[in-house]
PDB file of all heavy atoms in Angstrom:
ATOM      1  N   ASN P   1      21.520   7.130  12.797  1.00 97.00           N
ATOM      2  CA  ASN P   1      21.811   8.186  11.829  1.00 97.00           C
ATOM      3  C   ASN P   1      22.030   7.568  10.451  1.00 97.00           C
ATOM      4  O   ASN P   1      23.159   7.255  10.076  1.00 97.00           O
ATOM      5  CB  ASN P   1      23.049   8.977  12.260  1.00 97.00           C
ATOM      6  CG  ASN P   1      23.365  10.109  11.308  1.00 97.00           C
ATOM      7  OD1 ASN P   1      22.461  10.708  10.722  1.00 97.00           O
ATOM      8  ND2 ASN P   1      24.643  10.426  11.160  1.00 97.00           N
ATOM      9  N   PRO P   2      20.964   7.378   9.676  1.00 98.00           N
ATOM     10  CA  PRO P   2      21.099   6.657   8.400  1.00 98.00           C
ATOM     11  C   PRO P   2      21.983   7.390   7.397  1.00 98.00           C
ATOM     12  O   PRO P   2      21.903   8.601   7.249  1.00 98.00           O
ATOM     13  CB  PRO P   2      19.657   6.543   7.901  1.00 98.00           C
ATOM     14  CG  PRO P   2      18.911   7.623   8.596  1.00 98.00           C
ATOM     15  CD  PRO P   2      19.569   7.790   9.929  1.00 98.00           C
ATOM     16  N   THR P   3      22.810   6.599   6.724  1.00 97.00           N
ATOM     17  CA  THR P   3      23.717   7.137   5.711  1.00 97.00           C
ATOM     18  C   THR P   3      23.575   6.395   4.383  1.00 97.00           C
ATOM     19  O   THR P   3      24.305   6.674   3.442  1.00 97.00           O
ATOM     20  CB  THR P   3      25.173   7.031   6.194  1.00 97.00           C
ATOM     21  OG1 THR P   3      25.418   5.688   6.656  1.00 97.00           O
ATOM     22  CG2 THR P   3      25.444   8.007   7.337  1.00 97.00           C
ATOM     23  N   TRP P   4      22.644   5.438   4.335  1.00 98.00           N
ATOM     24  CA  TRP P   4      22.396   4.648   3.114  1.00 98.00           C
ATOM     25  C   TRP P   4      20.886   4.488   2.985  1.00 98.00           C
ATOM     26  O   TRP P   4      20.237   4.034   3.930  1.00 98.00           O
ATOM     27  CB  TRP P   4      23.078   3.284   3.221  1.00 98.00           C
ATOM     28  CG  TRP P   4      22.958   2.412   2.007  1.00 98.00           C
ATOM     29  CD1 TRP P   4      21.869   1.717   1.578  1.00 98.00           C
ATOM     30  CD2 TRP P   4      24.001   2.118   1.070  1.00 98.00           C
ATOM     31  NE1 TRP P   4      22.157   1.011   0.450  1.00 98.00           N
ATOM     32  CE2 TRP P   4      23.460   1.238   0.110  1.00 98.00           C
ATOM     33  CE3 TRP P   4      25.341   2.508   0.971  1.00 98.00           C
ATOM     34  CZ2 TRP P   4      24.222   0.741  -0.952  1.00 98.00           C
ATOM     35  CZ3 TRP P   4      26.090   2.013  -0.085  1.00 98.00           C
ATOM     36  CH2 TRP P   4      25.533   1.139  -1.031  1.00 98.00           C
ATOM     37  N   PHE P   5      20.338   4.860   1.858  1.00 98.00           N
ATOM     38  CA  PHE P   5      18.891   4.794   1.640  1.00 98.00           C
ATOM     39  C   PHE P   5      18.594   3.948   0.415  1.00 98.00           C
ATOM     40  O   PHE P   5      19.130   4.202  -0.665  1.00 98.00           O
ATOM     41  CB  PHE P   5      18.310   6.197   1.446  1.00 98.00           C
ATOM     42  CG  PHE P   5      18.424   7.083   2.651  1.00 98.00           C
ATOM     43  CD1 PHE P   5      19.610   7.755   2.929  1.00 98.00           C
ATOM     44  CD2 PHE P   5      17.348   7.251   3.514  1.00 98.00           C
ATOM     45  CE1 PHE P   5      19.726   8.577   4.039  1.00 98.00           C
ATOM     46  CE2 PHE P   5      17.449   8.069   4.628  1.00 98.00           C
ATOM     47  CZ  PHE P   5      18.646   8.727   4.893  1.00 98.00           C
ATOM     48  N   GLU P   6      17.732   2.943   0.587  1.00 98.00           N
ATOM     49  CA  GLU P   6      17.242   2.176  -0.548  1.00 98.00           C
ATOM     50  C   GLU P   6      15.901   2.769  -0.963  1.00 98.00           C
ATOM     51  O   GLU P   6      14.914   2.677  -0.226  1.00 98.00           O
ATOM     52  CB  GLU P   6      17.086   0.702  -0.183  1.00 98.00           C
ATOM     53  CG  GLU P   6      18.393  -0.054  -0.080  1.00 98.00           C
ATOM     54  CD  GLU P   6      19.104  -0.212  -1.421  1.00 98.00           C
ATOM     55  OE1 GLU P   6      18.436  -0.128  -2.480  1.00 98.00           O
ATOM     56  OE2 GLU P   6      20.334  -0.422  -1.404  1.00 98.00           O
ATOM     57  N   THR P   7      15.870   3.408  -2.124  1.00 98.00           N
ATOM     58  CA  THR P   7      14.630   4.006  -2.612  1.00 98.00           C
ATOM     59  C   THR P   7      13.743   2.922  -3.210  1.00 98.00           C
ATOM     60  O   THR P   7      14.232   1.953  -3.818  1.00 98.00           O
ATOM     61  CB  THR P   7      14.919   5.100  -3.646  1.00 98.00           C
ATOM     62  OG1 THR P   7      15.638   4.534  -4.751  1.00 98.00           O
ATOM     63  CG2 THR P   7      15.746   6.220  -3.015  1.00 98.00           C
ATOM     64  N   LEU P   8      12.436   3.087  -3.038  1.00 98.00           N
ATOM     65  CA  LEU P   8      11.501   1.995  -3.302  1.00 98.00           C
ATOM     66  C   LEU P   8      10.273   2.478  -4.065  1.00 98.00           C
ATOM     67  O   LEU P   8       9.846   3.616  -3.902  1.00 98.00           O
ATOM     68  CB  LEU P   8      11.064   1.369  -1.969  1.00 98.00           C
ATOM     69  CG  LEU P   8      12.212   0.925  -1.060  1.00 98.00           C
ATOM     70  CD1 LEU P   8      11.740   0.795   0.373  1.00 98.00           C
ATOM     71  CD2 LEU P   8      12.810  -0.384  -1.566  1.00 98.00           C
ATOM     72  N   THR P   9       9.703   1.583  -4.856  1.00 98.00           N
ATOM     73  CA  THR P   9       8.472   1.870  -5.583  1.00 98.00           C
ATOM     74  C   THR P   9       7.269   1.501  -4.722  1.00 98.00           C
ATOM     75  O   THR P   9       7.388   0.815  -3.704  1.00 98.00           O
ATOM     76  CB  THR P   9       8.416   1.055  -6.879  1.00 98.00           C
ATOM     77  OG1 THR P   9       8.409  -0.349  -6.540  1.00 98.00           O
ATOM     78  CG2 THR P   9       9.617   1.358  -7.773  1.00 98.00           C
ATOM     79  N   ASP P  10       6.095   1.926  -5.175  1.00 98.00           N
ATOM     80  CA  ASP P  10       4.859   1.543  -4.489  1.00 98.00           C
ATOM     81  C   ASP P  10       4.730   0.023  -4.417  1.00 98.00           C
ATOM     82  O   ASP P  10       4.335  -0.534  -3.387  1.00 98.00           O
ATOM     83  CB  ASP P  10       3.645   2.115  -5.225  1.00 98.00           C
ATOM     84  CG  ASP P  10       3.514   3.625  -5.078  1.00 98.00           C
ATOM     85  OD1 ASP P  10       4.166   4.196  -4.180  1.00 98.00           O
ATOM     86  OD2 ASP P  10       2.754   4.232  -5.852  1.00 98.00           O
ATOM     87  N   GLU P  11       5.056  -0.651  -5.519  1.00 98.00           N
ATOM     88  CA  GLU P  11       4.914  -2.105  -5.564  1.00 98.00           C
ATOM     89  C   GLU P  11       5.816  -2.789  -4.534  1.00 98.00           C
ATOM     90  O   GLU P  11       5.392  -3.727  -3.841  1.00 98.00           O
ATOM     91  CB  GLU P  11       5.253  -2.621  -6.960  1.00 98.00           C
ATOM     92  CG  GLU P  11       5.141  -4.139  -7.092  1.00 98.00           C
ATOM     93  CD  GLU P  11       5.552  -4.641  -8.462  1.00 98.00           C
ATOM     94  OE1 GLU P  11       5.935  -3.825  -9.320  1.00 98.00           O
ATOM     95  OE2 GLU P  11       5.510  -5.868  -8.655  1.00 98.00           O
ATOM     96  N   LEU P  12       7.059  -2.328  -4.432  1.00 98.00           N
ATOM     97  CA  LEU P  12       7.978  -2.918  -3.458  1.00 98.00           C
ATOM     98  C   LEU P  12       7.507  -2.668  -2.034  1.00 98.00           C
ATOM     99  O   LEU P  12       7.598  -3.552  -1.172  1.00 98.00           O
ATOM    100  CB  LEU P  12       9.387  -2.357  -3.654  1.00 98.00           C
ATOM    101  CG  LEU P  12      10.096  -2.750  -4.951  1.00 98.00           C
ATOM    102  CD1 LEU P  12      11.387  -1.957  -5.117  1.00 98.00           C
ATOM    103  CD2 LEU P  12      10.389  -4.248  -4.984  1.00 98.00           C
ATOM    104  N   TRP P  13       6.994  -1.466  -1.783  1.00 98.00           N
ATOM    105  CA  TRP P  13       6.495  -1.173  -0.443  1.00 98.00           C
ATOM    106  C   TRP P  13       5.279  -2.036  -0.109  1.00 98.00           C
ATOM    107  O   TRP P  13       5.126  -2.514   1.019  1.00 98.00           O
ATOM    108  CB  TRP P  13       6.152   0.309  -0.292  1.00 98.00           C
ATOM    109  CG  TRP P  13       5.923   0.646   1.150  1.00 98.00           C
ATOM    110  CD1 TRP P  13       4.725   0.751   1.806  1.00 98.00           C
ATOM    111  CD2 TRP P  13       6.936   0.867   2.138  1.00 98.00           C
ATOM    112  NE1 TRP P  13       4.924   1.022   3.126  1.00 98.00           N
ATOM    113  CE2 TRP P  13       6.275   1.097   3.359  1.00 98.00           C
ATOM    114  CE3 TRP P  13       8.323   0.897   2.101  1.00 98.00           C
ATOM    115  CZ2 TRP P  13       6.964   1.353   4.537  1.00 98.00           C
ATOM    116  CZ3 TRP P  13       9.018   1.145   3.277  1.00 98.00           C
ATOM    117  CH2 TRP P  13       8.332   1.376   4.475  1.00 98.00           C
ATOM    118  N   GLU P  14       4.429  -2.250  -1.086  1.00 98.00           N
ATOM    119  CA  GLU P  14       3.245  -3.091  -0.864  1.00 98.00           C
ATOM    120  C   GLU P  14       3.651  -4.518  -0.513  1.00 98.00           C
ATOM    121  O   GLU P  14       2.972  -5.189   0.274  1.00 98.00           O
ATOM    122  CB  GLU P  14       2.359  -3.071  -2.106  1.00 98.00           C
ATOM    123  CG  GLU P  14       1.606  -1.756  -2.286  1.00 98.00           C
ATOM    124  CD  GLU P  14       0.984  -1.608  -3.661  1.00 98.00           C
ATOM    125  OE1 GLU P  14       1.046  -2.598  -4.451  1.00 98.00           O
ATOM    126  OE2 GLU P  14       0.436  -0.534  -3.958  1.00 98.00           O
ATOM    127  N   ARG P  15       4.750  -4.993  -1.081  1.00 98.00           N
ATOM    128  CA  ARG P  15       5.229  -6.341  -0.734  1.00 98.00           C
ATOM    129  C   ARG P  15       5.731  -6.382   0.711  1.00 98.00           C
ATOM    130  O   ARG P  15       5.547  -7.381   1.410  1.00 98.00           O
ATOM    131  CB  ARG P  15       6.302  -6.789  -1.723  1.00 98.00           C
ATOM    132  CG  ARG P  15       5.715  -7.123  -3.094  1.00 98.00           C
ATOM    133  CD  ARG P  15       6.773  -7.469  -4.101  1.00 98.00           C
ATOM    134  NE  ARG P  15       7.492  -8.693  -3.756  1.00 98.00           N
ATOM    135  CZ  ARG P  15       8.518  -9.155  -4.462  1.00 98.00           C
ATOM    136  NH1 ARG P  15       8.947  -8.499  -5.517  1.00 98.00           N
ATOM    137  NH2 ARG P  15       9.118 -10.276  -4.097  1.00 98.00           N
ATOM    138  N   LYS P  16       6.384  -5.339   1.157  1.00 98.00           N
ATOM    139  CA  LYS P  16       6.792  -5.256   2.560  1.00 98.00           C
ATOM    140  C   LYS P  16       5.567  -5.334   3.473  1.00 98.00           C
ATOM    141  O   LYS P  16       5.550  -6.090   4.455  1.00 98.00           O
ATOM    142  CB  LYS P  16       7.541  -3.945   2.803  1.00 98.00           C
ATOM    143  CG  LYS P  16       7.896  -3.663   4.284  1.00 98.00           C
ATOM    144  CD  LYS P  16       8.419  -2.262   4.453  1.00 98.00           C
ATOM    145  CE  LYS P  16       8.743  -1.914   5.900  1.00 98.00           C
ATOM    146  NZ  LYS P  16      10.096  -2.329   6.302  1.00 98.00           N
ATOM    147  N   VAL P  17       4.563  -4.537   3.152  1.00 98.00           N
ATOM    148  CA  VAL P  17       3.345  -4.519   3.967  1.00 98.00           C
ATOM    149  C   VAL P  17       2.672  -5.892   3.953  1.00 98.00           C
ATOM    150  O   VAL P  17       2.191  -6.377   4.991  1.00 98.00           O
ATOM    151  CB  VAL P  17       2.386  -3.420   3.474  1.00 98.00           C
ATOM    152  CG1 VAL P  17       1.046  -3.512   4.187  1.00 98.00           C
ATOM    153  CG2 VAL P  17       3.009  -2.038   3.682  1.00 98.00           C
ATOM    154  N   ALA P  18       2.645  -6.538   2.780  1.00 98.00           N
ATOM    155  CA  ALA P  18       2.060  -7.877   2.694  1.00 98.00           C
ATOM    156  C   ALA P  18       2.815  -8.863   3.578  1.00 98.00           C
ATOM    157  O   ALA P  18       2.209  -9.731   4.225  1.00 98.00           O
ATOM    158  CB  ALA P  18       2.060  -8.352   1.239  1.00 98.00           C
ATOM    159  N   ALA P  19       4.142  -8.744   3.621  1.00 98.00           N
ATOM    160  CA  ALA P  19       4.935  -9.613   4.498  1.00 98.00           C
ATOM    161  C   ALA P  19       4.610  -9.339   5.963  1.00 98.00           C
ATOM    162  O   ALA P  19       4.491 -10.268   6.776  1.00 98.00           O
ATOM    163  CB  ALA P  19       6.423  -9.413   4.230  1.00 98.00           C
ATOM    164  N   LEU P  20       4.448  -8.059   6.315  1.00 97.00           N
ATOM    165  CA  LEU P  20       4.117  -7.717   7.699  1.00 97.00           C
ATOM    166  C   LEU P  20       2.723  -8.213   8.080  1.00 97.00           C
ATOM    167  O   LEU P  20       2.476  -8.528   9.250  1.00 97.00           O
ATOM    168  CB  LEU P  20       4.228  -6.214   7.903  1.00 97.00           C
ATOM    169  CG  LEU P  20       5.659  -5.669   7.927  1.00 97.00           C
ATOM    170  CD1 LEU P  20       5.666  -4.146   7.972  1.00 97.00           C
ATOM    171  CD2 LEU P  20       6.433  -6.232   9.127  1.00 97.00           C
ATOM    172  N   PHE P  21       1.818  -8.305   7.107  1.00 96.00           N
ATOM    173  CA  PHE P  21       0.497  -8.869   7.405  1.00 96.00           C
ATOM    174  C   PHE P  21       0.614 -10.337   7.799  1.00 96.00           C
ATOM    175  O   PHE P  21      -0.230 -10.860   8.534  1.00 96.00           O
ATOM    176  CB  PHE P  21      -0.447  -8.697   6.214  1.00 96.00           C
ATOM    177  CG  PHE P  21      -1.301  -7.464   6.313  1.00 96.00           C
ATOM    178  CD1 PHE P  21      -1.076  -6.376   5.478  1.00 96.00           C
ATOM    179  CD2 PHE P  21      -2.334  -7.382   7.245  1.00 96.00           C
ATOM    180  CE1 PHE P  21      -1.857  -5.233   5.575  1.00 96.00           C
ATOM    181  CE2 PHE P  21      -3.122  -6.248   7.351  1.00 96.00           C
ATOM    182  CZ  PHE P  21      -2.883  -5.165   6.516  1.00 96.00           C
ATOM    183  N   CYS P  22       1.671 -11.025   7.324  1.00 95.00           N
ATOM    184  CA  CYS P  22       1.904 -12.396   7.776  1.00 95.00           C
ATOM    185  C   CYS P  22       2.166 -12.433   9.284  1.00 95.00           C
ATOM    186  O   CYS P  22       1.856 -13.413   9.953  1.00 95.00           O
ATOM    187  CB  CYS P  22       3.098 -12.995   7.036  1.00 95.00           C
ATOM    188  SG  CYS P  22       2.893 -13.178   5.255  1.00 95.00           S
ATOM    189  N   TYR P  23       2.747 -11.351   9.795  1.00 95.00           N
ATOM    190  CA  TYR P  23       3.070 -11.230  11.221  1.00 95.00           C
ATOM    191  C   TYR P  23       2.034 -10.373  11.948  1.00 95.00           C
ATOM    192  O   TYR P  23       2.372  -9.697  12.924  1.00 95.00           O
ATOM    193  CB  TYR P  23       4.444 -10.581  11.388  1.00 95.00           C
ATOM    194  CG  TYR P  23       5.604 -11.362  10.835  1.00 95.00           C
ATOM    195  CD1 TYR P  23       6.277 -10.928   9.691  1.00 95.00           C
ATOM    196  CD2 TYR P  23       6.064 -12.516  11.466  1.00 95.00           C
ATOM    197  CE1 TYR P  23       7.372 -11.621   9.190  1.00 95.00           C
ATOM    198  CE2 TYR P  23       7.156 -13.218  10.978  1.00 95.00           C
ATOM    199  CZ  TYR P  23       7.801 -12.764   9.837  1.00 95.00           C
ATOM    200  OH  TYR P  23       8.887 -13.460   9.361  1.00 95.00           O
ATOM    201  N   GLU P  24       0.814 -10.398  11.504  1.00 92.00           N
ATOM    202  CA  GLU P  24      -0.202  -9.470  12.016  1.00 92.00           C
ATOM    203  C   GLU P  24      -0.342  -9.525  13.535  1.00 92.00           C
ATOM    204  O   GLU P  24      -0.584  -8.501  14.189  1.00 92.00           O
ATOM    205  CB  GLU P  24      -1.550  -9.763  11.355  1.00 92.00           C
ATOM    206  CG  GLU P  24      -2.581  -8.688  11.563  1.00 92.00           C
ATOM    207  CD  GLU P  24      -3.790  -8.860  10.664  1.00 92.00           C
ATOM    208  OE1 GLU P  24      -3.899  -9.903  10.001  1.00 92.00           O
ATOM    209  OE2 GLU P  24      -4.625  -7.941  10.633  1.00 92.00           O
ATOM    210  N   GLU P  25      -0.141 -10.706  14.121  1.00 90.00           N
ATOM    211  CA  GLU P  25      -0.262 -10.828  15.577  1.00 90.00           C
ATOM    212  C   GLU P  25       0.844 -10.070  16.310  1.00 90.00           C
ATOM    213  O   GLU P  25       0.704  -9.745  17.494  1.00 90.00           O
ATOM    214  CB  GLU P  25      -0.243 -12.301  15.987  1.00 90.00           C
ATOM    215  CG  GLU P  25      -1.498 -13.067  15.599  1.00 90.00           C
ATOM    216  CD  GLU P  25      -1.520 -14.458  16.195  1.00 90.00           C
ATOM    217  OE1 GLU P  25      -0.621 -14.771  17.022  1.00 90.00           O
ATOM    218  OE2 GLU P  25      -2.429 -15.223  15.855  1.00 90.00           O
ATOM    219  N   GLU P  26       1.943  -9.792  15.628  1.00 89.00           N
ATOM    220  CA  GLU P  26       3.047  -9.058  16.235  1.00 89.00           C
ATOM    221  C   GLU P  26       2.897  -7.538  16.073  1.00 89.00           C
ATOM    222  O   GLU P  26       3.630  -6.775  16.710  1.00 89.00           O
ATOM    223  CB  GLU P  26       4.382  -9.484  15.602  1.00 89.00           C
ATOM    224  CG  GLU P  26       4.665 -10.975  15.673  1.00 89.00           C
ATOM    225  CD  GLU P  26       4.727 -11.483  17.096  1.00 89.00           C
ATOM    226  OE1 GLU P  26       5.344 -10.805  17.945  1.00 89.00           O
ATOM    227  OE2 GLU P  26       4.143 -12.554  17.367  1.00 89.00           O
ATOM    228  N   MET P  27       1.970  -7.127  15.220  1.00 94.00           N
ATOM    229  CA  MET P  27       1.753  -5.704  14.999  1.00 94.00           C
ATOM    230  C   MET P  27       0.860  -5.136  16.094  1.00 94.00           C
ATOM    231  O   MET P  27       0.197  -5.872  16.827  1.00 94.00           O
ATOM    232  CB  MET P  27       1.144  -5.474  13.619  1.00 94.00           C
ATOM    233  CG  MET P  27       1.989  -6.013  12.469  1.00 94.00           C
ATOM    234  SD  MET P  27       3.609  -5.241  12.341  1.00 94.00           S
ATOM    235  CE  MET P  27       3.150  -3.638  11.656  1.00 94.00           C
TER     236      MET P  27
END
């Protein structure tokens, strides 16, 4: 039940996705 939200820009989200691409074998 989330009670704290970090709002994010497109650029910040793209960096998250880029980091997850480093772990592509785990996806």
Side-chain angles (χ1 to χ4, degrees):
N1 182 33
T3 50
W4 183 285
F5 295 81
E6 285 292 338
T7 59
L8 306 160
T9 62
D10 289 344
E11 180 183 0
L12 292 171
W13 192 262
E14 287 167 6
R15 288 176 65 184
K16 174 189 178 86
V17 172
L20 288 173
F21 265 109
C22 296
Y23 296 109
E24 193 168 9
E25 289 188 7
E26 304 300 317
M27 302 298 286

